[in-house]
mmCIF file of all heavy atoms in Angstrom:
data_model
loop_
_atom_site.group_PDB
_atom_site.id
_atom_site.type_symbol
_atom_site.label_atom_id
_atom_site.label_comp_id
_atom_site.label_asym_id
_atom_site.label_seq_id
_atom_site.Cartn_x
_atom_site.Cartn_y
_atom_site.Cartn_z
ATOM 1 N N GLY A 65 4.219 9.533 3.797
ATOM 2 C CA GLY A 65 4.585 10.390 5.004
ATOM 3 C C GLY A 65 4.731 9.532 6.224
ATOM 4 O O GLY A 65 5.691 9.740 7.054
ATOM 5 N N ARG A 66 3.791 8.611 6.484
ATOM 6 C CA ARG A 66 3.950 7.756 7.686
ATOM 7 C C ARG A 66 4.818 6.521 7.468
ATOM 8 O O ARG A 66 5.103 5.833 8.424
ATOM 9 C CB ARG A 66 2.546 7.302 8.147
ATOM 10 C CG ARG A 66 1.687 8.437 8.600
ATOM 11 C CD ARG A 66 0.345 7.943 9.092
ATOM 12 N NE ARG A 66 -0.484 9.021 9.504
ATOM 13 C CZ ARG A 66 -1.769 8.947 9.841
ATOM 14 N NH1 ARG A 66 -2.388 7.792 9.626
ATOM 15 N NH2 ARG A 66 -2.391 9.993 10.260
ATOM 16 N N GLY A 67 5.050 6.216 6.231
ATOM 17 C CA GLY A 67 5.852 5.017 5.956
ATOM 18 C C GLY A 67 5.081 3.742 6.170
ATOM 19 O O GLY A 67 5.641 2.761 6.768
ATOM 20 N N THR A 68 3.806 3.776 5.876
ATOM 21 C CA THR A 68 2.955 2.568 6.090
ATOM 22 C C THR A 68 2.209 2.196 4.771
ATOM 23 O O THR A 68 1.978 3.003 3.956
ATOM 24 C CB THR A 68 1.846 2.825 7.158
ATOM 25 O OG1 THR A 68 1.054 3.887 6.752
ATOM 26 C CG2 THR A 68 2.510 3.082 8.494
ATOM 27 N N VAL A 69 1.906 0.900 4.703
ATOM 28 C CA VAL A 69 1.046 0.402 3.616
ATOM 29 C C VAL A 69 -0.097 -0.381 4.306
ATOM 30 O O VAL A 69 0.084 -1.213 5.065
ATOM 31 C CB VAL A 69 1.821 -0.619 2.718
ATOM 32 C CG1 VAL A 69 0.954 -1.143 1.653
ATOM 33 C CG2 VAL A 69 3.112 0.005 2.185
ATOM 34 N N THR A 70 -1.314 0.102 4.065
ATOM 35 C CA THR A 70 -2.510 -0.533 4.535
ATOM 36 C C THR A 70 -3.038 -1.430 3.414
ATOM 37 O O THR A 70 -3.212 -0.988 2.260
ATOM 38 C CB THR A 70 -3.500 0.509 5.009
ATOM 39 O OG1 THR A 70 -2.964 1.374 5.919
ATOM 40 C CG2 THR A 70 -4.755 -0.201 5.634
ATOM 41 N N VAL A 71 -3.360 -2.689 3.743
ATOM 42 C CA VAL A 71 -3.805 -3.666 2.794
ATOM 43 C C VAL A 71 -5.188 -4.196 3.176
ATOM 44 O O VAL A 71 -5.365 -4.644 4.260
ATOM 45 C CB VAL A 71 -2.743 -4.853 2.707
ATOM 46 C CG1 VAL A 71 -3.207 -5.935 1.782
ATOM 47 C CG2 VAL A 71 -1.377 -4.319 2.374
ATOM 48 N N GLY A 72 -6.141 -4.158 2.231
ATOM 49 C CA GLY A 72 -7.379 -4.736 2.446
ATOM 50 C C GLY A 72 -7.440 -6.161 2.117
ATOM 51 O O GLY A 72 -6.802 -6.533 1.089
ATOM 52 N N LEU A 73 -8.071 -6.960 2.859
ATOM 53 C CA LEU A 73 -8.150 -8.455 2.718
ATOM 54 C C LEU A 73 -9.530 -8.914 2.420
ATOM 55 O O LEU A 73 -10.522 -8.542 3.037
ATOM 56 C CB LEU A 73 -7.530 -9.126 3.877
ATOM 57 C CG LEU A 73 -6.119 -8.680 4.292
ATOM 58 C CD1 LEU A 73 -5.780 -9.188 5.719
ATOM 59 C CD2 LEU A 73 -5.128 -9.057 3.266
ATOM 60 N N ASP A 74 -9.669 -9.800 1.452
ATOM 61 C CA ASP A 74 -10.907 -10.440 1.056
ATOM 62 C C ASP A 74 -11.343 -11.427 2.088
ATOM 63 O O ASP A 74 -10.593 -12.467 2.319
ATOM 64 C CB ASP A 74 -10.786 -11.075 -0.332
ATOM 65 C CG ASP A 74 -12.072 -11.627 -0.864
ATOM 66 O OD1 ASP A 74 -13.063 -11.715 -0.078
ATOM 67 O OD2 ASP A 74 -12.134 -11.958 -2.050
ATOM 68 N N PRO A 75 -12.495 -11.229 2.777
ATOM 69 C CA PRO A 75 -12.942 -12.186 3.828
ATOM 70 C C PRO A 75 -13.256 -13.500 3.310
ATOM 71 O O PRO A 75 -13.259 -14.473 4.044
ATOM 72 C CB PRO A 75 -14.078 -11.448 4.445
ATOM 73 C CG PRO A 75 -14.593 -10.525 3.468
ATOM 74 C CD PRO A 75 -13.402 -10.094 2.651
ATOM 75 N N ALA A 76 -13.512 -13.649 1.960
ATOM 76 C CA ALA A 76 -13.870 -14.948 1.403
ATOM 77 C C ALA A 76 -12.668 -15.794 1.043
ATOM 78 O O ALA A 76 -12.827 -16.942 0.588
ATOM 79 C CB ALA A 76 -14.701 -14.686 0.173
ATOM 80 N N LYS A 77 -11.439 -15.255 1.232
ATOM 81 C CA LYS A 77 -10.237 -15.959 0.853
ATOM 82 C C LYS A 77 -9.403 -16.188 2.102
ATOM 83 O O LYS A 77 -9.544 -15.348 2.991
ATOM 84 C CB LYS A 77 -9.467 -15.240 -0.190
ATOM 85 C CG LYS A 77 -10.209 -15.189 -1.501
ATOM 86 C CD LYS A 77 -9.348 -14.716 -2.619
ATOM 87 C CE LYS A 77 -10.158 -14.727 -3.934
ATOM 88 N NZ LYS A 77 -9.386 -14.351 -5.048
ATOM 89 N N PRO A 78 -8.475 -17.162 2.084
ATOM 90 C CA PRO A 78 -7.622 -17.331 3.238
ATOM 91 C C PRO A 78 -6.714 -16.022 3.426
ATOM 92 O O PRO A 78 -6.284 -15.464 2.470
ATOM 93 C CB PRO A 78 -6.712 -18.461 2.807
ATOM 94 C CG PRO A 78 -7.468 -19.200 1.742
ATOM 95 C CD PRO A 78 -8.287 -18.166 1.062
ATOM 96 N N THR A 79 -6.539 -15.648 4.683
ATOM 97 C CA THR A 79 -5.726 -14.496 4.974
ATOM 98 C C THR A 79 -4.245 -14.794 4.750
ATOM 99 O O THR A 79 -3.710 -15.811 5.232
ATOM 100 C CB THR A 79 -5.917 -14.067 6.456
ATOM 101 O OG1 THR A 79 -7.317 -13.873 6.676
ATOM 102 C CG2 THR A 79 -5.189 -12.905 6.819
ATOM 103 N N PRO A 80 -3.588 -13.945 3.987
ATOM 104 C CA PRO A 80 -2.136 -14.192 3.767
ATOM 105 C C PRO A 80 -1.380 -13.929 5.109
ATOM 106 O O PRO A 80 -1.822 -13.081 5.937
ATOM 107 C CB PRO A 80 -1.730 -13.117 2.734
ATOM 108 C CG PRO A 80 -2.900 -12.097 2.675
ATOM 109 C CD PRO A 80 -4.046 -12.807 3.250
ATOM 110 N N ASP A 81 -0.340 -14.612 5.300
ATOM 111 C CA ASP A 81 0.436 -14.444 6.514
ATOM 112 C C ASP A 81 1.254 -13.121 6.483
ATOM 113 O O ASP A 81 1.506 -12.639 5.432
ATOM 114 C CB ASP A 81 1.239 -15.652 6.959
ATOM 115 C CG ASP A 81 2.357 -15.984 5.966
ATOM 116 O OD1 ASP A 81 2.634 -15.117 4.996
ATOM 117 O OD2 ASP A 81 2.957 -17.061 6.070
#
Side-chain angles (χ1 to χ4, degrees):
R66 292 183 181 170
T68 60
V69 180
T70 305
V71 177
L73 304 170
D74 184 346
K77 295 191 176 184
T79 302
D81 65 9

